[in-house]
Amino acid sequence: MTVIELFPAIDMRGGKCVRLFKGDYNQETVYAESPFEMAKTFACQGAKWIHMVDLDGAKDGKRIHDKDVIRAATELGVNVQIGGGIRTEEDVKYYLDNGVARVIIGSLAIQQPELAVSIIQRFGAEKIVIGLDAKEGMVATHGWLETSSKSAIEVGQYFATHGAKTFIFTDIATDGTLSGPNILANELLAEATGAEVIVSGGISSLSDVKKVAKAAAGSKIGGVIIGKALYENRFTLPEALREVASC
């Protein structure tokens, strides 16, 4: 089977490391006081990538937790990808110029697709990830507070034809629920776009991680984002890394 990349997730709100239930800002659990210290822990446990999300930025439409992100990217020797609050080309340039490996475009891609395509062309597809967060198949924006009229596959196909190489697909119905990932939706997106898809939402066990790894053997699924399961001690990052290495 294909060895997939693991992305431990750090969602930031109010200066802390939190998790939301199904993207609901009113259902928040605080897991750590410092996003940087959490990132440091993951780096020490063997993470090659860290997935960071600025929840305040996603809601307010501007960078809020950029200092935490840049500190992790420049001090920890890991690859950092950041999403949330990225609304302009300058936001993208700011992060890439300050050591971030990849920038995730979500709401911007839906609201200003031509600008998003321009950003991919300017900075390169290896630096830009299109984030597709879906409620019942339809893409949500602005920190999941609004739902667009576009399906995840429709948006994915558009950007794939304009140079996008990597998507993160989040099934909002499973995010933060520990109910298992929606692998089929990820497989369908990968098939429809021909691009790499990173699974996000619902991972609850090592068995779930192994299921994603198995799915990757027959599709372009390239990784999985793990959040609440790590914070709830369902398993450790080293255990998950060993799991995918043995596949």
Side-chain angles (χ1 to χ4, degrees), residues 86-153:
I86 297 161
R87 298 288 193 270
T88 68
E89 192 166 343
E90 179 56 36
D91 288 332
V92 176
K93 184 177 186 299
Y94 170 80
Y95 277 122
L96 294 178
D97 284 350
N98 283 282
V100 172
R102 291 199 302 206
V103 174
I104 304 162
I105 296 176
S107 298
L108 172 63
I110 305 303
Q111 293 186 312
Q112 302 181 69
E114 292 182 358
L115 176 57
V117 169
S118 175
I119 287 171
I120 293 170
Q121 294 172 344
R122 176 181 176 183
F123 297 105
E126 73 281 358
K127 296 288 186 180
I128 306 298
V129 179
I130 302 297
L132 300 177
D133 306 330
K135 289 183 178 179
E136 298 181 353
M138 308 307 288
V139 175
T141 63
H142 297 82
W144 301 351
L145 297 176
E146 299 178 18
T147 304
S148 76
S149 61
K150 303 290 186 181
S151 73
I153 286 181

Side-chain angles (χ1 to χ4, degrees), residues 47-229:
K48 294 181 180 178
W49 281 89
I50 295 178
H51 173 80
M52 303 186 79
V53 179
D54 186 345
L55 292 175
D56 289 318
K59 190 175 182 180
D60 296 343
K62 60 183 179 180
R63 303 188 305 262
I64 303 292
H65 290 282
D66 50 308
K67 290 182 174 59
D68 292 298
V69 176
I70 291 169
R71 189 180 177 197
T74 56
E75 295 185 21
L76 298 179
V78 295
N79 296 302
V80 171
Q81 62 182 23
I82 174 63
I86 297 161
R87 298 288 193 270
T88 68
E89 192 166 343
E90 179 56 36
D91 288 332
V92 176
K93 184 177 186 299
Y94 170 80
Y95 277 122
L96 294 178
D97 284 350
N98 283 282
V100 172
R102 291 199 302 206
V103 174
I104 304 162
I105 296 176
S107 298
L108 172 63
I110 305 303
Q111 293 186 312
Q112 302 181 69
E114 292 182 358
L115 176 57
V117 169
S118 175
I119 287 171
I120 293 170
Q121 294 172 344
R122 176 181 176 183
F123 297 105
E126 73 281 358
K127 296 288 186 180
I128 306 298
V129 179
I130 302 297
L132 300 177
D133 306 330
K135 289 183 178 179
E136 298 181 353
M138 308 307 288
V139 175
T141 63
H142 297 82
W144 301 351
L145 297 176
E146 299 178 18
T147 304
S148 76
S149 61
K150 303 290 186 181
S151 73
I153 286 181
E154 181 182 3
V155 175
Q157 288 176 324
Y158 172 84
F159 283 107
T161 61
H162 287 83
K165 300 297 184 185
T166 306
F167 295 96
I168 294 173
F169 179 81
T170 303
D171 179 15
I172 296 173
T174 64
D175 192 71
T177 66
L178 298 172
S179 62
N182 187 343
I183 293 177
L184 176 59
N186 285 273
E187 290 176 325
L188 292 174
L189 179 63
E191 181 180 356
T193 62
E196 179 185 64
V197 175
I198 297 170
V199 177
S200 175
I203 296 295
S204 65
S205 65
L206 289 175
S207 176
D208 285 338
V209 175
K210 192 167 185 176
K211 287 176 184 177
V212 175
K214 286 182 177 179
S219 70
K220 295 196 71 173
I221 291 176
V224 58
I225 294 169
I226 309 171
K228 191 173 183 178

